[in-house]
Amino acid sequence: MDISFRKLPDNQHEILVRREKGPDVRLPAHPDGPKMPHDLVHAVVETALGIDDGFWGAMARGATFLGFELVTPGRHRRSGMKVLRRGGDAVMDAELRVAWAYRVWSGLPVEGRGVGKAPLDAAALARTGPRLDAAAERWAAVPVGGELLWRWGVDR
């Protein structure tokens, strides 16, 4: 599956996903995170941790998520929901681990009221930090109108 993150003006981006199972989908203009798109963070962290049943793994299997649109309208929507019904817990678990890795990498508080128990250990964080650094540098180097291409299952 190829994921194209296109940088738009005003700290926005759009995503085009070309996949083997299920139709191609796109996420129209969407705000970037403080350092890079949230869904790029997912691609980086899920890859670094070997998570193949998280957000991007579900997308590769044909899942559909709110905000994404079919590039070519068709009947696929229901089968995409079946993927989520079968693997929704794993997707939510991945969301927590990605959010934690990003929190640590960004220097946000990891202790105190409302933070919760760490879903990742030091070894996992040692794998995600350098990869987030590299992805942030790649994203920063993309000019407005340019794209960062991530090949799911290939890019490391």
Side-chain angles (χ1 to χ4, degrees), residues 62-106:
T64 53
F65 288 92
L66 185 64
F68 282 85
E69 304 171 343
L70 298 172
V71 171
T72 305
R75 304 179 341 191
H76 186 75
R77 208 126 183 94
R78 284 204 172 134
S79 61
M81 293 305 292
K82 286 180 189 176
V83 172
L84 286 179
R85 277 195 298 274
R86 281 186 233 127
D89 289 344
V91 172
M92 288 308 299
D93 181 62
E95 184 71 42
L96 291 173
R97 292 190 280 165
V98 168
W100 189 263
Y102 185 77
R103 173 176 281 284
V104 170
W105 177 75
S106 297

Side-chain angles (χ1 to χ4, degrees), residues 2-156:
D2 288 342
I3 310 163
S4 170
F5 296 90
R6 180 170 306 280
K7 191 177 276 189
L8 303 173
D10 302 322
N11 201 35
Q12 300 245 337
H13 70 281
E14 65 183 4
I15 303 172
L16 175 62
V17 182
R18 292 185 176 97
R19 51 195 179 173
E20 293 176 24
K21 291 184 179 180
D24 295 344
V25 293
R26 66 183 284 275
L27 179 68
H30 208 71
D32 289 345
K35 300 182 183 180
M36 67 185 115
H38 174 75
D39 295 326
L40 176 56
V41 172
H42 262 275
V44 171
V45 173
E46 289 179 16
T47 298
L49 298 178
I51 299 171
D52 62 1
D53 57 358
F55 177 81
W56 286 113
M59 285 288 279
R61 289 187 308 280
T64 53
F65 288 92
L66 185 64
F68 282 85
E69 304 171 343
L70 298 172
V71 171
T72 305
R75 304 179 341 191
H76 186 75
R77 208 126 183 94
R78 284 204 172 134
S79 61
M81 293 305 292
K82 286 180 189 176
V83 172
L84 286 179
R85 277 195 298 274
R86 281 186 233 127
D89 289 344
V91 172
M92 288 308 299
D93 181 62
E95 184 71 42
L96 291 173
R97 292 190 280 165
V98 168
W100 189 263
Y102 185 77
R103 173 176 281 284
V104 170
W105 177 75
S106 297
L108 295 171
V110 293
E111 296 178 342
R113 186 179 177 136
V115 174
K117 183 180 177 213
L120 296 175
D121 61 19
L125 293 170
R127 290 194 308 274
T128 60
R131 290 183 183 181
L132 287 166
D133 288 339
E137 286 178 24
R138 281 178 68 187
W139 182 246
V142 174
V144 172
E147 72 177 340
L148 184 153
L149 181 63
W150 186 274
R151 290 200 163 93
W152 179 249
V154 176
D155 273 347
R156 298 281 173 218

